[in-house]
Amino acid sequence: AASAASFVVSPSTLVFIAGGIAIVNAPYSAFKEMKMSKIPTLRSMNNALREDANRLEGEVDILSGEIDALIPEANRAKEVEEQLRGIAEQQSVNVNKLVDLVKQNEEILEKMKDNLRQRIVQDIISIVVQSDRDNDQTIDKNEGKVLALKIRLQLQEYGVEFDSE
């Protein structure tokens, strides 16, 4: 309104230029104001950060509890290691040889587990193929029930539980 009044009261080139700039600047200012209103406020960002901090604090508490629960286990493992060293020294056995034997035992156990897994997979494949009585390459509902029962019985031999649900 002041710019329009100055056009009438003082019609000079400088007034017209300043008024033109003001008229052009008004829509741009309104556009920028709208964009700024869409940006999340500092308060909402602060609240979001506070929520994250609270969540992380809870997770730190959980991890601290887990660490506290593991400390006795670590202490017990240290005691067992010391006892094994004592036994090894008493029997004149090299601790490194004992550790190597333990590692070798772990490798053998892993191979045994892998072999068992392979046998289980082979048994299940065999049972599935045999359960398709009409050889139509699909297992219908009745064949599925029989298949689940056969798998459960076969896996019980290996001490593995099969959930047919």
Side-chain angles (χ1 to χ4, degrees), residues 13-33:
T13 306
L14 185 58
V15 171
F16 284 117
I17 290 173
I21 290 173
I23 291 171
V24 170
N25 198 22
Y28 180 72
S29 295
F31 172 73
K32 282 296 194 179
E33 188 70 29

Side-chain angles (χ1 to χ4, degrees), residues 34-124:
M34 285 179 54
K35 281 191 92 167
M36 286 176 52
S37 70
K38 291 180 182 177
I39 296 174
T41 63
L42 186 58
R43 182 180 309 253
S44 65
M45 289 176 60
N46 192 20
N47 288 340
L49 288 173
R50 185 175 292 120
E51 288 175 11
D52 284 347
N54 290 339
R55 182 183 51 80
L56 289 173
E57 186 175 320
E59 290 179 15
V60 165
D61 290 343
I62 291 170
L63 287 175
S64 295
E66 290 177 4
I67 289 171
D68 291 344
L70 289 175
I71 287 174
E73 293 292 325
N75 291 338
R76 192 170 63 205
K78 187 175 181 179
E79 291 173 7
V80 169
E81 180 184 4
E82 290 172 3
Q83 290 173 355
L84 285 174
R85 284 186 192 276
I87 291 171
E89 288 174 7
Q90 287 175 359
Q91 296 180 356
S92 300
V93 176
N94 187 355
V95 174
N96 292 332
K97 183 168 178 98
L98 182 61
V99 170
D100 288 340
L101 289 173
V102 170
K103 288 180 181 176
Q104 199 175 37
N105 186 37
E106 285 179 25
E107 291 172 4
I108 291 170
L109 286 174
E110 283 300 317
K111 288 179 183 177
M112 290 173 65
K113 286 179 186 177
D114 189 47
N115 187 11
L116 179 62
R117 284 185 200 105
Q118 290 176 3
R119 286 186 59 192
I120 289 172
V121 168
Q122 288 174 352
D123 287 351
I124 289 175

